[in-house]
């Protein structure tokens, strides 16, 4: 039974995501990732206590001991799992950026990375079986851990030049989105000597400030406060704070691929080169900025666990996706919102204002569109387009990408909807638009013909 999506098991609370499901998932996790102690943490959602209790009950019934970290960001849980050898896995109760009625269960391997697809499939398989529990004297117990958030922030501080940041006398606006970073990221600011106006920093799972997806539309208050109160920059987390996006001192939203480019450039110039991993859906702004700093970009399919594992295989120094999920190899191989803040503060303190760093990036235009396609036709349509473009620079890492001297087009099957997302990028807006239109026409023609054949 397919339960795991790209970011754990998700659903509407007391709809799909019930305590009964969570309890059984807890037992399945214990069977696959145990034996040994498992750490559990949660975000600020109103249902997180309910789902955490049910998962923990399932784990305990299987004889697993639990380290309960309470409400901390996902990367704080991942850091705890990796740095405690007695902990064999982690479970995060969160639906990340989804609306408040959702919750989810996300699993972490013993090395602190997100569970692999194979581990998730094994948990799904176990869920579908009758799992036998030990006797009354074999059940587990819970230890409450209260300092996991602070230990994580101390580790983040140790990975940057804190003195350089302190001396810069920066002032920022920090939007915690009423989520899991409501205590840890303000603490990070104090430890780095950064003056911070914190907004939406009371943990509240109804997300009264704005929806917890840090899109430009949701961050109107942050943009206004940053520019009106003379802040050097602003930053915002998603609900579980594995991601972070930035706003410049003049109140401009920085798209995720631009922060990836700025931090990739900074990482490459600091270490005199090195590899940066990102996905085929990321703008060329990253490759060009990183190359100028002496680094090299490696491309993968979309998905942060894929990026993280490629970084480990390549010995890459930095990586991430264009949605604000950034991974720093010197800290841990997972998306890390607080680490992203600390590295960005270091980059601003060392290299100048975020406005000037954004302005110095090469300019690209990206057109995003979509074309409807039934799931069953996605693979044959990709094959047919690849055949038609034989001899061109076709890349089948994830969907179909064709590179040109001045840009690229990408057609990626949506994982959740019957459609392809189509991206076209070029330094020239007209070229990007023309290629997008031509590609959409070609795809729609092939999809239409195949649909007609099937009828
Ligand atoms: Mg998240």
């Amino acid at each position: 039974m397919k339960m795991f999506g790209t970011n754990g098991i998700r659903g509407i609370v007391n709809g799909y995501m019930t305590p009964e499901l969570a309890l059984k998932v807890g037992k399945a996790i214990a069977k696959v990732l145990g034996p040994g102690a498992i750490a559990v943490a949660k975000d600020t959602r109103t249902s997180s206590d309910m789902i955490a209790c049910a998962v923990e009950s399932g784990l305990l019934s299987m004889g697993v001991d639990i380290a309960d970290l309470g409400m901390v960001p996902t990367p704080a849980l991942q850091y705890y799992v990796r740095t405690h050898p007695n902990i064999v896995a982690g479970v995060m109760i969160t639906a990340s950026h989804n609306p408040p009625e959702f919750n989810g269960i996300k699993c972490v391997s013993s090395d602190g990375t997100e569970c692999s697809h194979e581990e998730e499939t094994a948990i799904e398989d176990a869920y579908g079986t009758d799992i036998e529990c030990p006797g009354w004297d074999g059940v587990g117990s819970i230890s409450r851990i209260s300092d996991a958030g602070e230990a994580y922030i101390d580790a983040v501080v140790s990975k940057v030049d804190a003195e350089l940041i302190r001396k810069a006398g920066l002032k920022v606006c920090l939007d915690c989105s009423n989520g899991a970073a409501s205590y840890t990221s303000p603490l990070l600011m104090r430890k780095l000597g950064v003056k911070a106006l914190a907004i939406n920093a009371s943990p509240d799972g109804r997300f009264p400030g704005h929806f917890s997806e840090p899109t430009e539309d949701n961050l109107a208050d942050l943009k206004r406060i940053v520019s009106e109160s003379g802040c050097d920059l602003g930053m915002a987390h998603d609900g579980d704070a594995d991601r972070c996006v930035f706003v410049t001192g003049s109140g401009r939203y920085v798209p995720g691929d631009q922060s990836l480019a700025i931090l990739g450039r900074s990482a490459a110039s600091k270490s005199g080169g090195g590899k940066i991993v990102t996905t085929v859906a990321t703008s060329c702004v990253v490759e060009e900025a990183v190359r100028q700093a002496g680094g090299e970009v490696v491309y993968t399919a979309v998905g942060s666990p894929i990026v993280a594992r490629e970084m480990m295989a390549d010995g890459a120094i930095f990586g991430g996706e264009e949605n604000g999920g950034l991974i720093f190899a010197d800290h841990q191989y997972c998306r890390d919102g607080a680490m992203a803040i600390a590295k960005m503060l270091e980059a601003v303190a060392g290299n100048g204002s975020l406005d000037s760093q954004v302005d110095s990036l090469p300019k690209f235009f990206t057109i995003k569109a979509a074309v409807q396609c039934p799931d069953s036709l996605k693979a044959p349509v990709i094959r047919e387009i690849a055949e038609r473009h034989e001899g061109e620079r076709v890349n089948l890492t994830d969907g179909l990408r064709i590179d040109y001297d001045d840009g690229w087009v990408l057609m990626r099957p949506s994982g959740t909807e019957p459609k392809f997302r189509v991206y076209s990028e070029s330094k020239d807006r007209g070229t990007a638009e023309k290629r997008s239109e031509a590609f959409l026409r070609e795809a729609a023609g092939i999809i239409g013909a195949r649909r007609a054949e099937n009828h």
Side-chain angles (χ1 to χ4, degrees), residues 10-13 17 45 47 94-95 98-104:
R10 295 247 178 112
I12 291 178
V13 173
M17 184 55 67
R45 286 168 189 274
S47 58
T94 181
N98 286 155
E101 61 269 28
F102 283 79
N103 214 332

Side-chain angles (χ1 to χ4, degrees), residues 120-369:
E120 290 179 346
T121 305
I123 292 168
E124 286 165 351
D125 291 346
Y127 181 90
T129 63
D130 275 332
I131 303 173
E132 206 178 311
C133 293
W136 69 271
D137 52 352
V139 301
S141 62
I142 301 184
S143 323
R144 310 273 170 199
I145 310 294
S146 58
D147 61 354
E150 183 158 6
Y152 158 68
I153 291 302
D154 285 340
V156 166
V157 171
S158 76
K159 297 297 178 211
V160 289
D161 187 343
E163 216 30 57
L164 176 78
I165 298 171
R166 281 189 200 106
K167 279 198 193 125
L170 298 171
K171 179 178 162 188
V172 305
C173 183
L174 167 68
D175 185 342
C176 297
S177 304
N178 300 109
S182 294
Y183 298 137
T184 46
S185 284
L187 178 65
L188 173 64
M189 297 304 152
R190 275 202 295 284
K191 294 207 174 199
L192 289 174
V194 172
K195 190 171 177 190
L197 308 172
I199 61 171
N200 304 316
S202 52
D204 188 335
R206 296 163 303 159
F207 304 129
H210 55 72
F211 277 140
S212 60
E213 170 78 324
T215 58
E216 181 164 13
D217 288 347
N218 286 339
L219 301 181
D221 287 343
L222 176 67
K223 285 165 55 180
R224 185 177 47 77
I225 294 170
V226 167
S227 62
E228 286 179 6
S229 57
C231 289
D232 294 288
L233 67 156
M235 52 276 273
H237 289 295
D238 67 331
D240 65 327
D242 56 349
R243 292 190 282 143
C244 184
V245 301
F246 298 92
V247 167
T248 70
S250 66
R252 277 189 291 167
Y253 179 82
V254 183
D257 31 27
Q258 291 188 4
S259 19
L260 196 52
I262 288 167
L263 291 173
R265 179 169 68 183
S266 167
S269 57
K270 217 170 142 186
S271 47
K275 284 184 181 158
I276 313 287
V277 178
T278 190
T279 78
V280 289
T282 298
S283 166
C284 282
V285 68
V286 176
E287 182 168 343
E288 210 165 300
V290 165
R291 211 189 303 127
Q292 283 166 5
E296 182 195 336
V297 168
V298 177
Y299 289 101
T300 67
V302 170
S304 63
I306 302 172
V307 173
R309 284 171 207 285
E310 183 69 35
M311 285 175 67
M312 289 190 248
D314 284 352
I317 51 175
F318 174 62
E321 294 185 281
E322 86 292 358
N323 60 4
L326 305 171
I327 305 170
F328 302 86
D330 59 350
H331 183 42
Q332 52 180 353
Y333 288 102
C334 63
R335 294 185 289 197
D336 196 320
M339 196 70 243
I341 291 182
K343 292 279 188 182
M344 188 59 94
L345 291 170
E346 187 183 46
V348 169
N351 310 331
S353 77
L354 185 51
D355 267 301
S356 67
Q357 295 200 53
V358 168
D359 289 338
S360 70
L361 290 172
K363 297 275 173 294
F364 286 90
F365 296 94
T366 311
I367 312 293
K368 294 186 181 178

